[in-house]
Amino acid sequence: MSFVEYGDTIKDGDTAIVFLGHESMFPVKVQHGTVTQTKYGVIRHSTDLIGKKYGSKVTCSKGGWVFILHPTPELWTMNLPHRTQILYSTDISIITMMLELKPGSIVCESGTGSGSLSHALIRTVAPTGHLYTVEFHQQRAEKAREEFREHGVEHLVTVTNQDVCKNGFGVSNIADAVFLDIPSPWEAIGHAKSALKAEGGRICSFSPCIEQVQRTCLAMEEYGFTEINTLEILLRVYNVRTISLQIPDLGKAAEENSSTGFDSSNPSNQGSPCASLQQGTVQFKSGVPLREMVGHTGYLTFATKS
């Protein structure tokens, strides 16, 4: 099993996603002789998972059923264990596009955190690219190495435990793109410039506070970066549903009533065609925004090495 090379069957040692519903899923490490408890009953890895095809419908011990899905960066972002605050698919999608990433790209990242963005970057640059990711916290760096090894992508990523603001990324003049998600990104702009290729490399910095953005932009200008711009992604979800509304009175019925002396207040006229037209309803599909939406997550600042 690999997050970038999809297999058909579930094997011992794989990471799989147990799908109970769109709002309920979780990852599980498949191991011979192990069982997993769900609200629908027990899943026995040896008989219910190993050897079955990904996407299979598995019946649990209580008679309920779940689907077993192959892991992807998108599913991992929704289900990973949080060691830090993470980036979600809305921001990840614009980052990979604006950094102009493709198979074969070399990317430097700091910090690794929970690995949400890291898995997406690895999938994007595979099979010939490489990710150099730096994590200041030793335990988080070790856990990231372990996850990359379990997910079959360790050959595409190098994890380094050091302070990027003091020691940089450990590479020079090879990166196509650099991504920064650290408290003081302005202190790492010089190291980012050193890691980028000689000309045309792209950089992105993620910061939750506008004061961080201001200092980062000043540092980018100081180091000669161009095309500096900052954006914020706000996701608004619509619920498509059937609603009923009264047929609007566009004036035709009123004119007919006037010309024929129709009196809608007269009880004897309540059952007439004109009255039914006034009181009729029609059903149609409509997109209604949810009552709540995800607000500010952070600012993304992009620039190009001149």
Side-chain angles (χ1 to χ4, degrees), residues 14-47:
D14 282 4
T15 297
I17 304 296
V18 179
F19 180 89
L20 292 83
H22 288 288
E23 301 297 330
S24 178
M25 60 183 105
F26 60 89
V28 62
K29 185 174 181 180
V30 180
Q31 292 179 313
H32 185 76
T34 302
V35 298
T36 296
Q37 294 282 351
T38 74
K39 63 181 180 181
Y40 300 127
V42 172
I43 301 173
R44 295 174 175 83
H45 293 200
S46 301
T47 57

Side-chain angles (χ1 to χ4, degrees), residues 1-3 12-16 28-31 71 76 81 119 142-154:
M1 185 277 304
S2 171
F3 273 53
D12 188 16
D14 282 4
T15 297
V28 62
K29 185 174 181 180
V30 180
Q31 292 179 313
W76 186 245
H119 282 81
E142 292 173 353
K143 186 60 179 178
R145 291 192 191 98
E146 179 185 341
E147 284 183 350
F148 293 143
R149 183 169 58 254
E150 292 178 352
H151 298 166
V153 297
E154 71 276 8

Side-chain angles (χ1 to χ4, degrees), residues 183-295:
S184 52
W186 56 90
E187 296 181 0
I189 299 299
H191 295 297
K193 183 177 181 180
S194 299
L196 287 169
K197 59 187 181 181
E199 185 178 358
R202 294 278 287 166
I203 183 174
C204 174
S205 174
F206 175 89
S207 296
C209 301
I210 196 63
E211 292 81 5
Q212 294 170 305
V213 173
Q214 292 169 338
R215 296 189 65 174
T216 301
C217 290
L218 290 174
M220 287 178 174
E221 291 179 349
E222 181 181 345
Y223 281 96
F225 283 89
T226 60
E227 299 179 336
I228 302 172
N229 63 87
T230 299
L231 52 88
E232 178 185 24
I233 307 299
L234 299 178
L235 178 64
R236 190 177 189 186
V237 179
Y238 280 77
N239 180 22
V240 178
R241 63 186 185 186
T242 301
I243 65 174
S244 298
L245 289 178
Q246 286 188 333
I247 297 176
D249 180 4
L250 303 180
K252 183 177 180 181
E255 292 176 1
E256 292 177 352
N257 294 347
S258 176
S259 62
T260 59
F262 180 79
D263 183 6
S264 60
S265 62
N266 188 337
S268 62
N269 291 331
Q270 293 300 317
S272 67
C274 290
S276 63
L277 179 64
Q278 293 275 31
Q279 297 171 356
T281 60
V282 61
Q283 291 186 334
F284 62 95
K285 292 290 184 181
S286 176
V288 181
L290 302 182
R291 292 180 179 272
E292 297 180 356
M293 63 172 283
V294 177

Side-chain angles (χ1 to χ4, degrees), residues 87-113:
L87 291 177
Y88 289 91
S89 299
T90 306
D91 287 321
I92 292 173
S93 59
I94 196 71
I95 289 169
T96 55
M97 184 189 75
M98 295 292 287
L99 290 182
E100 302 174 3
L101 302 183
K102 59 186 181 298
S105 295
I106 306 297
V107 185
C108 291
E109 174 197 25
S110 182
T112 312

